[in-house]
Amino acid sequence: MEAKELVKEYYNSGAYRNVEAMKRFIHNDLVLQWHSSKGYLELDKNDLLALAQELGKSYVSSRVAISHIIEEEGNVCVRYTHYVHAFENPDEEMVLANFMIIWEVKDNQFYKGYLMSQLG
């Protein structure tokens, strides 16, 4: 599978919020370098799985709207907005954050990620 198709499948399937689904997409040696509006984090596979589990517990539902996706030599750059419905107000959709990530794909899985985000 092409790297770009893998990334599209990941976001379109909602695997980013489902621990079991996410496991198929992330490499055992994953490293995610995340620069956010709140500081810098470096996450490994277990950290990312824990984040997905927390996302599933914290919101009724969520979705990702991809505005840009570009592939070059197995690296995929994605710009997207993450929308959520909070338990406190499930009828109102709000922007959780805006993201830009570059995924390096190895063995048909996400191997390294370089993420920047800003709260919505």
Side-chain angles (χ1 to χ4, degrees), residues 1-59:
M1 175 182 293
E2 283 187 26
K4 185 175 178 179
E5 295 307 312
L6 179 74
V7 171
K8 283 182 179 179
E9 183 180 339
Y10 173 75
Y11 289 106
N12 291 335
S13 71
Y16 54 87
R17 66 175 180 259
N18 181 308
V19 173
E20 290 307 312
M22 182 183 278
K23 287 178 183 178
R24 180 173 86 77
F25 290 93
I26 57 175
H27 197 279
N28 285 335
D29 298 324
L30 173 89
V31 175
L32 178 65
Q33 297 176 352
W34 185 356
H35 292 270
S36 78
S37 52
K38 295 190 174 196
Y40 176 77
L41 296 170
E42 190 165 299
L43 307 177
D44 64 13
K45 178 180 181 175
N46 291 329
D47 296 329
L48 194 56
L49 292 172
L51 189 62
Q53 185 172 24
E54 191 61 35
L55 182 64
K57 289 179 183 178
S58 299
Y59 300 100

